[in-house]
Amino acid sequence: MDPMDVPVPDIKKLFDRDGYLKPYEKEIRRRYGCFRDIWEKMESWEGGVQGFTSAYKYYGPQFGADGSVTWREWAPGAHSIHLQGDFNGWNSKSHPFNKLEFGKWELYIPPNSDGSCQLQHQSRVQIIINDNLYRVSPWASYVKPYEGFTYQQFIYRPDNPYKFKHSKVPRRASLRIYECHVGIATPEGRVGTYTEFKDNVLLRIKNLGYNAIQLMAIMEHAYYASFGYQVTSFFAASSRYGTPCELKELIDRAHELGIYVLLDVVHSHASKNTLDGLNEFDGTTACFFHDGPRGTHSLWDSRLFNYSETEVLRFLLSNLRWYQEEYQFDGFRFDGVTSMLYHSRGIGEGFSGHYDEYYGLNVDTEALVYLMLANELVHNTDNRAITIAEDVSGMPATGRPVQEGGTGFDYRLGMAIPDMWIKLLKEERDEDWKMGHIVHTLTNRRWMEGTVAYAESHDQALVGDKTIAFWLMDKEMYTHMSTLSDPSPVIERGLALHCMIRLITNALGGEAYLNFIGNEFGHPEWLDFPRAGNNSSYHYARRQWHLVDDELLKYKYLNNFDKDMHALEEKHGWLRSDPGYVSCKHEGDKVIAFERAGLLFVFNFHPFQSFTDYRIGMDVPGKYQAVLCSDSKKYGGFGRVEPDGEFHLTQNVAWGNRRDSVQVYIPCRTAIVYAKCE
């Protein structure tokens, strides 16, 4: 069929929003046609799409009501498969699988004579491929290390499995995401647990005003220092933090608090581990992955999925449904999307933004179509689900529905924003910052495609880089963060800019906001997981909550500002409003001003110049009052402007391409938000 004959229901909407796409209509229709062909095939197979994407109910151990077990695997390259474990005294020959069609294998294990199941809760099992290759089932739901670092599969069937008590929370129009890692969320130098996170951290997040959490490193990864991005067991929630039931309790508690729960899902690549990973599961270098160079990521040293293989699609799509249905996750942040979208894996590419980069031969259509399938499935399974793409390339229509010819994500990460801030702090003096460059980076996003804005990424917290707080204050954090210490210009600058950077990123940079655990209060030092290079130390793989809880330390100021910023967003909803209108970006004065959601935001980045009666253009006349000011003493500032102070009346003077204007006092290194008074 000619691609131009492929019906894309709402494709006109796509062209209405981005007229530049019209020359690429044929390619957009071709991609949608590929998606539709696969979706219709899934619908035509037994069980339809729901059956196809519920393969965890077919593969792996399936427990019958009579105590029997039917275990199935897909291993097209295998010559034989056996199962050994506690149940058969580790007899490697007594339980062979029978070979079925299409690379499938099946084993039936009858019940014991008393009707009980031979595979008991917490019993250990192992698959043997070709008599000498020891493997963990790709469908294992619980794995943990046994006699060393290698993970092995354990049967997880508790007598009293956890049952969810609370409904999922409504979809958030303004998404304020707290990105977090359970393992580092404890102040002690060890791995934190699901239960500790539930009891000690969730309420902190709620009280700060975040309405969503993004859980990292949940899918099991044998190497802790991989930050969860070298997944070994895709269906197993990491056992290093606790049991599957304890993770469910955590998610249920989050829902009770009204917190939306996102999973950081890694379907872009997989660990190279063979003993406890997917790699070479059937004894070949293919199976779940591309064979040859296409199947290996040269920088990540990991395996790349073959998205054209039916059983790989079944595995990955079922994996998404598993986390939605088994664990009640509300949505997903997809890692490594840029690597998926291009045959080059994005390595060494700058992506100028020219549309030929997005519609040429470098695009990996198979991976792109998988993402379309994944998004369609996730949203069909739960219409309140949210998906976020980690894509730095700017692929057009990534954040538009599949039915428009888009990829189907709700948001993409604004990855250029944290890069800009760190580059400014590393390389330029404050007085050399370009206001136009800051505004351009914060507003340079595709119209009607949601963007998650964030000031710093988790990568920038790792050893080899620094957080924004550490770039700003560095060693002075060890000597001058006490409220009793002598004044420090370094700390004063650091507190001011930390607040300003966060507010302008939140208010101008996107339609959602993200913060990495601890960065809201300027967590000192860096993040470093135990590894050979640091003598397996947990010293930096933790969060020092006592610092923000200590009333004698200045970390509380940054925490207070973060909390009040979110409270103001909750009240006025700028994240769910149209993008801000920037009326001022004055290079000499270092002033940026914009309106959004009926609020006036004014930023003076000048390191020493304050301005009185500074005229700012605005569109809606009336009486305005400051409702948030970074210079408030509440946030460690000088108190030159305090919220709920004097009123400002617009003066019926057009200014900055706006119909009216107001004159305000803006101290140096200060951000002020004005709201119209009733």
Side-chain angles (χ1 to χ4, degrees), residues 47 170 197 227 354 482 519 566 585 627:
F197 191 93
F227 220 158
H354 194 287
S482 170
N519 285 352
H566 295 312
K585 43 186 177 182
V627 290

Side-chain angles (χ1 to χ4, degrees), residues 151 219-223 230-234 271 273 276-278:
Y151 278 65
M219 303 167 77
E220 190 60 271
H221 48 294
Y223 184 43
Q230 292 279 349
V231 176
T232 44
S233 289
F234 284 74
S271 168
N273 289 19
D276 51 13
L278 282 182

Side-chain angles (χ1 to χ4, degrees), residues 592-636:
I592 296 172
F594 59 90
E595 299 151 87
R596 191 175 185 187
L599 300 173
L600 174 64
F601 297 82
V602 183
F603 294 80
N604 180 5
F605 281 97
H606 205 291
F608 52 83
Q609 181 67 59
S610 300
F611 301 99
T612 57
D613 297 329
Y614 200 92
R615 188 172 294 279
I616 302 293
M618 55 197 313
D619 220 33
V620 180
K623 183 168 66 174
Y624 287 81
Q625 187 177 34
V627 290
L628 182 68
C629 178
S630 63
D631 192 55
S632 171
K633 290 183 178 180
K634 183 180 181 182
Y635 314 129

Side-chain angles (χ1 to χ4, degrees), residues 435-491:
M435 300 298 102
H437 172 61
I438 292 173
V439 168
H440 173 76
T441 304
L442 289 170
T443 58
N444 183 27
R445 57 187 184 272
R446 299 196 182 279
W447 176 247
M448 296 299 287
E449 293 193 44
T451 294
V452 178
Y454 55 121
E456 53 189 323
S457 72
H458 57 245
D459 291 333
Q460 289 158 342
L462 292 168
V463 166
D465 207 333
K466 299 178 184 178
T467 62
I468 284 178
F470 223 34
W471 276 112
L472 287 168
M473 297 177 279
D474 212 338
K475 64 180 183 296
E476 296 267 336
M477 297 183 81
Y478 297 108
T479 57
H480 287 78
M481 284 300 278
S482 170
T483 57
L484 304 178
S485 62
D486 295 333
S488 163
V490 172
I491 297 298

Side-chain angles (χ1 to χ4, degrees), residues 504-662:
I504 196 170
T505 299
N506 189 318
L508 192 59
E511 289 69 40
Y513 178 76
L514 179 141
N515 167 71
F516 179 67
I517 182 172
N519 285 352
E520 71 279 1
F521 67 84
H523 198 286
E525 303 175 330
W526 47 83
L527 178 64
D528 190 17
F529 287 88
R531 53 188 174 84
N534 65 10
N535 295 317
S536 299
S537 171
Y538 285 86
H539 181 73
Y540 295 111
R542 61 194 180 103
R543 297 286 89 174
Q544 301 180 59
W545 302 113
H546 66 281
L547 297 176
V548 70
D549 293 339
D550 192 333
E551 284 297 317
L552 292 178
L553 296 179
K554 297 177 182 178
Y555 296 98
K556 66 179 181 181
Y557 295 142
L558 300 180
N559 202 66
N560 291 341
F561 183 83
D562 200 67
K563 180 177 181 178
D564 290 350
M565 176 178 69
H566 295 312
L568 194 64
E569 197 289 323
E570 175 68 18
K571 180 178 180 180
H572 293 276
W574 61 70
L575 289 172
R576 57 182 179 269
S577 301
D578 288 341
Y581 182 90
V582 181
S583 60
C584 176
K585 43 186 177 182
H586 197 292
E587 297 296 352
D589 295 344
K590 304 299 178 193
V591 172
I592 296 172
F594 59 90
E595 299 151 87
R596 191 175 185 187
L599 300 173
L600 174 64
F601 297 82
V602 183
F603 294 80
N604 180 5
F605 281 97
H606 205 291
F608 52 83
Q609 181 67 59
S610 300
F611 301 99
T612 57
D613 297 329
Y614 200 92
R615 188 172 294 279
I616 302 293
M618 55 197 313
D619 220 33
V620 180
K623 183 168 66 174
Y624 287 81
Q625 187 177 34
V627 290
L628 182 68
C629 178
S630 63
D631 192 55
S632 171
K633 290 183 178 180
K634 183 180 181 182
Y635 314 129
F638 296 101
R640 292 168 292 184
V641 173
E642 290 289 353
D644 302 324
E646 63 186 44
F647 297 100
H648 299 273
L649 287 169
T650 56
Q651 300 172 347
N652 198 27
V653 176
W655 195 264
N657 293 320
R658 307 308 273 165
R659 290 178 292 185
D660 210 332
S661 61
V662 67

Side-chain angles (χ1 to χ4, degrees), residues 193-203 249-250 253:
T193 68
Y194 295 125
T195 300
E196 289 170 330
F197 191 93
K198 168 179 68 76
D199 294 340
N200 304 330
V201 184
L202 279 179
L203 204 55
E249 287 186 71
L250 186 165
R253 173 60 172 154

